[in-house]
Amino acid sequence: MEIITLREDYIKLGQALKATALVEDGVEAKLVIKDGEVTVNGEVDTRRGRKLYDGDVVCYNGNEIQIKK
């Protein structure tokens, strides 16, 4: 499990995938999110700009990202 510690109030979904190197770039992040391959708190979310806050959990390709403040 990857952990992202927030410096601000939130991080966007696409940025979180890039920050943990689960995708190579923003284009790949956009595609996997749009294709419904990413879940946030157990539900598919197709918004790349989805804001993630403390306690959110993102899953992609068998990997989990936990957001902490």
Side-chain angles (χ1 to χ4, degrees):
M1 175 186 344
E2 299 278 343
I3 296 175
I4 292 180
T5 303
L6 296 173
R7 292 186 209 136
E8 305 293 327
D9 289 336
Y10 65 87
I11 186 171
K12 292 183 180 178
L13 181 55
Q15 293 172 330
L17 292 174
K18 289 187 298 183
T20 55
L22 294 181
V23 296
E24 290 188 22
D25 54 31
V27 174
E28 185 180 355
K30 179 181 178 179
L31 292 174
V32 300
I33 293 168
K34 186 182 121 201
D35 289 345
E37 298 178 36
V38 179
T39 63
V40 178
N41 300 328
E43 296 183 11
V44 172
D45 198 318
T46 57
R47 299 171 293 162
R48 181 173 62 161
R50 160 82 185 255
K51 293 177 182 177
L52 303 172
Y53 298 94
D54 183 40
D56 284 339
V57 176
V58 176
C59 294
Y60 168 64
N61 200 24
N63 297 291
E64 197 170 271
I65 305 168
Q66 188 165 19
I67 310 300
K68 299 242 183 206
K69 182 68 178 161

